[in-house]
Amino acid sequence: MSPRLEYSPVARRRGGKLTAKGHQTRGRIVEAAAELMLEQGVAETTIEHVRDAAEVSSSQVYHYFTDKQALVLAVIDYQSDTIVGGQQPLFDQLDTLEGLRSWRDFLVEHQRRLGCRGGCPLGSLGVELAEIDDVARVRVAASFARWEAGIRSGLRAMHTEGRLAPDADPDALAVALLAALQGGLLLTQLNRDTRPLEQSLDAVLSLVESLTS
């Protein structure tokens, strides 16, 4: 394990109830860390970098986070709440082909607004951390499971209501959609072009459409 990650063997969370000001300060630290880790990677982001970006003292950082691993886990949760939680209104509409296509259009348009930069922050964290921090790997995996569950709920509803063929597997289709999204985001980031994302999602949505009754 690289010493630059400054991890301790066990990540711990600070206990106790935070004041409104405490929540605000902690949130500012996590947001600053998330931005830095997306831009330059986890290994290259030090506590000092986060401290300066958040405009807090080192003692404030360590008041909320026992070590860098605790901060990384908080960043994973933050990205999960932002990315997956932000799609919840769309997840609630994924029980129709129209809703699935609207979700697809939202994802593509979001990449256009970003200039096809940044890829998937959760995916980037997973790639960097999976082989060096098992605790973080599990936390990222849980975030993707949450994402998959959001997609799966609509497909299961379609299946239960008889709008998907009886032999269709909504769980497998949810995994395929999430995998198509992640692969499409990576290729879109590399090519600065949304077409890979559009094509990968459209391929799975065409499969879903072929299974509708």
Side-chain angles (χ1 to χ4, degrees):
M1 185 180 296
S2 169
R4 299 198 63 173
L5 291 176
E6 306 167 30
Y7 285 178
S8 63
V10 178
R12 304 179 303 278
R13 290 187 179 186
R14 294 293 190 188
K17 188 175 181 180
L18 296 180
T19 64
K21 185 176 180 181
H23 276 293
Q24 184 179 45
T25 301
R26 184 184 185 281
R28 191 163 74 249
I29 293 168
V30 173
E31 288 180 21
E35 184 173 350
L36 287 169
M37 289 176 188
L38 180 60
E39 290 177 353
Q40 60 192 35
V42 175
E44 296 300 321
T45 299
T46 66
I47 291 292
E48 290 71 29
H49 292 152
V50 176
R51 174 199 65 196
D52 294 345
E55 299 181 339
V56 296
S57 65
S58 294
S59 62
Q60 284 178 296
V61 176
Y62 285 110
H63 174 73
Y64 299 106
F65 306 100
T66 55
D67 53 23
K68 186 176 173 181
Q69 186 184 50
L71 179 56
V72 168
L73 295 177
V75 167
I76 294 169
D77 291 342
Y78 167 81
Q79 294 292 15
S80 180
D81 289 340
T82 301
I83 297 167
V84 185
Q87 293 177 58
Q88 188 58 55
L90 292 169
F91 292 155
D92 294 339
Q93 302 173 31
L94 297 188
D95 57 350
T96 65
L97 279 173
E98 292 75 16
L100 286 163
R101 290 185 179 119
S102 293
W103 173 68
R104 173 264 194 210
D105 292 345
F106 165 81
L107 295 168
V108 171
E109 183 56 34
H110 182 64
Q111 286 303 303
R112 287 187 181 129
R113 288 198 303 270
L114 294 176
C116 301
R117 297 177 183 275
C120 175
L122 275 173
S124 297
L125 287 167
V127 168
E128 184 172 2
L129 296 168
E131 304 306 327
I132 61 173
D133 183 343
D134 212 41
V135 174
R137 178 190 61 78
V138 170
R139 187 68 65 89
V140 175
S143 297
F144 276 105
R146 177 185 178 188
W147 204 339
E148 180 189 328
I151 301 169
R152 185 175 61 239
S153 61
L155 292 166
R156 281 186 175 179
M158 291 177 70
H159 192 255
T160 299
E161 294 165 10
R163 287 180 282 114
L164 272 181
D167 60 346
D169 185 341
D171 294 5
L173 290 171
V175 173
L177 272 170
L178 184 56
L181 170 57
Q182 288 302 305
L185 285 172
L186 176 59
L187 293 175
T188 284
Q189 180 185 15
L190 293 172
N191 292 290
R192 298 289 191 256
D193 187 337
T194 61
R195 281 180 294 180
L197 178 59
E198 296 172 48
Q199 292 165 354
S200 61
L201 289 174
D202 286 346
V204 182
L205 291 180
S206 292
L207 173 61
V208 174
E209 183 174 17
S210 74
L211 295 169
T212 57
S213 54

